[in-house]
Amino acid sequence: LVDTSYKRIKEVDGQVHAFLTLNEESAREEAKKLDAAADQTASLFGMPAGIKDNIVTKALRTTCASQFLDNFDDPLYNATVVDKLASQQAVTIGKLNMDEFAMGSSNENSSYTPTRNPWNTDYVPGGSSGGSAASVAAGEVLFSLGSDTGGSIRQPAAFCGVVGLKPTYGRVSRFGLVAFASSLDQIGPITRNVEDNARVLEVIAGIDPMDSTSANVDVPKYTEALTGDVKGLKIAVPKEYLAEGVAPEVKESVLQALKVYESLGATWEEVSLPHSKYAVATYYLLSSSEASANLARFDGVRYGVRSENADNMIDMFKKSRSEGFGEEVKRRIMLGTFALSSGYYDAYYKKAQKVRTLIKNDFDKIFEDYDVVIGPTTPTPAFKVGEKIDDPLTMYANDILTIPVNLAGVPGISLPCGFSEEGLPFGLQIIGKHFDESTVYRAAHAYE
Ligand code: GLN
């Protein structure tokens, strides 16, 4: 499997650009050991895995696709999720391309060569986990890990025709995930089908003493939830998720999917998420505020490439940050610093926190009567490379259907549900109650 993985990477990655760093020598060595092992029963035994490049891997370069971390060649430890994958004998094939520091929806913010959509390389793979989704779609690895702060697992999964799950906030340890917006970030699996996804989550989920926000909630056997039985399942379909702006082909496919659920004995009703129209603004205020604090550590001293042109210490911080960060990252830091500054804090940050609670309450209310919420993952299939990059607000608006899920902290999955006329895939999104990934998987598997 490991040989096949590298063979495939050599064939296609020159066009797809999913990988930033390969782990070839160690991975082949590891594979040899596994071949010779007496016990070959671990749940991810020998499975080639790709890891998003904002997840720290011991002695394996970790850049967050930023020039600032271009020289971070030798991290001293593994993220908890990486140790957990290794404990079940998955093999790390390499590190995957992304939007710089996970800020973006198209991979065009990678400071290296952006990843392309394997279905058609004129199109973006989505972002920020574009490399994670494209590598699975292109058959370069069997599964990958991505991170999702405002849609970054589900949106690229939708654009690349694969399955991506953002777990409940707190379900998976964030230790070793380079923080973007700590109250929203979650790591999750991207796979070719629902069963693989459930299998990987089983391995990476669970409380971790190294992450105080990881939750002490039992991890069920997710694979056992895949019964095919959705009789009596109560589905809520928010009218805002099929409103204007959603492409007719996407809407049509979601309605078809709901028919499939009906035929399997589930029922659905239209509901409303009245505050979801504020989600994009709320998200970009909160996530940028948190990012402005989290990215303060990149100063050219503790982390990062140090500017060579500085005269004194302050100058060194300024020049290192000016040279190291890309445009979008700077935009977020400035927005976040503004929103947190005294005098503006109440008007922006605090207000956004209040709206966040309203958005969460919308979901809580729906989940009193329904088991899952279903809608599209994105309003449209993948867009063309270059189409939105000069217009950040249009780019941000693309996240309208994924972001509410992060703000509410609930789990959401994207799985393939149709193709556009151009042959580009798009996704069905299934959202569940806090810590109820089992029902999300059961519903996804029954449709798949
Ligand atoms: N597109 C969103 C952003 O740019 C999502 C990012 C993410 O989930 N990491 O912030």
Side-chain angles (χ1 to χ4, degrees), residues 26 72 193 200 252 287 297-298 334 372 406 416:
S26 317
F72 192 25
N193 61 40
V200 177
E252 195 41 48
S287 65
R297 78 194 63 177
F298 300 102
M334 285 191 280
V372 289
N406 301 76

Coordinates of all heavy atoms in Angstrom, one line a residue, residues 26 72 193 200 252 287 297-298 334 372 406 416:
S26 N 11.2 7.2 5.9 CA 10.7 6.7 7.1 C 9.5 5.8 6.9 O 9.3 4.8 7.5 CB 10.3 7.7 8.1 OG 11.2 8.8 8.1
F72 N 10.7 25.2 9.5 CA 10.4 24.4 10.7 C 10.5 22.9 10.3 O 9.5 22.2 10.1 CB 8.9 24.8 11.1 CG 8.5 24.2 12.5 CD1 9.5 23.9 13.5 CD2 7.2 24.0 12.8 CE1 9.1 23.4 14.7 CE2 6.8 23.5 14.0 CZ 7.7 23.2 15.0
N193 N -15.0 6.9 1.8 CA -16.4 6.5 2.2 C -16.6 6.7 3.7 O -15.7 7.0 4.4 CB -16.6 5.1 1.7 CG -15.7 4.1 2.4 OD1 -15.4 4.2 3.6 ND2 -15.1 3.1 1.7
V200 N -11.5 5.9 11.2 CA -10.4 6.8 11.6 C -10.8 7.7 12.8 O -10.0 7.8 13.8 CB -10.0 7.8 10.4 CG1 -8.9 8.7 10.9 CG2 -9.5 7.0 9.2
E252 N -31.5 20.6 -6.2 CA -32.2 19.4 -6.8 C -31.6 18.1 -6.2 O -32.3 17.2 -5.8 CB -32.0 19.5 -8.3 CG -32.9 18.6 -9.1 CD -34.3 18.6 -8.6 OE1 -35.0 19.6 -8.3 OE2 -34.8 17.4 -8.4
S287 N -13.1 34.5 14.6 CA -12.0 33.8 14.2 C -10.7 34.7 14.0 O -9.6 34.3 14.3 CB -12.2 32.9 12.9 OG -12.5 33.7 11.8
R297 N 2.7 34.5 18.5 CA 3.9 33.7 18.8 C 4.9 33.7 17.6 O 6.0 33.3 17.8 CB 3.5 32.3 19.2 CG 3.2 31.4 18.1 CD 2.5 30.1 18.6 NE 1.2 30.5 19.2 CZ 0.4 29.6 19.7 NH1 0.6 28.3 19.6 NH2 -0.8 29.9 20.2
F298 N 4.4 34.0 16.5 CA 5.3 34.0 15.3 C 6.0 35.3 15.2 O 5.5 36.3 14.7 CB 4.5 33.6 14.0 CG 3.9 32.3 14.1 CD1 2.5 32.2 14.4 CD2 4.6 31.1 14.0 CE1 1.9 30.9 14.6 CE2 4.1 29.9 14.2 CZ 2.7 29.8 14.5
M334 N -5.0 42.0 11.2 CA -5.4 43.4 11.3 C -6.8 43.5 11.8 O -7.2 44.3 12.7 CB -5.1 44.2 10.0 CG -3.6 44.5 9.9 SD -3.3 45.6 8.6 CE -3.4 44.6 7.2
V372 N -31.2 14.9 13.0 CA -30.1 15.5 12.2 C -30.7 16.7 11.4 O -31.9 16.8 11.2 CB -29.5 14.5 11.2 CG1 -28.7 13.4 11.9 CG2 -30.6 13.8 10.3
N406 N -19.6 25.3 13.0 CA -18.5 25.5 13.9 C -18.9 26.4 15.1 O -18.5 26.2 16.2 CB -17.3 26.2 13.2 CG -16.8 25.3 12.0 OD1 -17.5 25.2 11.0 ND2 -15.7 24.6 12.2
P416 N -20.5 12.9 -0.9 CA -20.8 13.3 -2.3 C -22.3 13.1 -2.5 O -22.9 12.1 -2.0 CB -20.0 12.3 -3.1 CG -18.9 11.8 -2.2 CD -19.5 11.9 -0.8

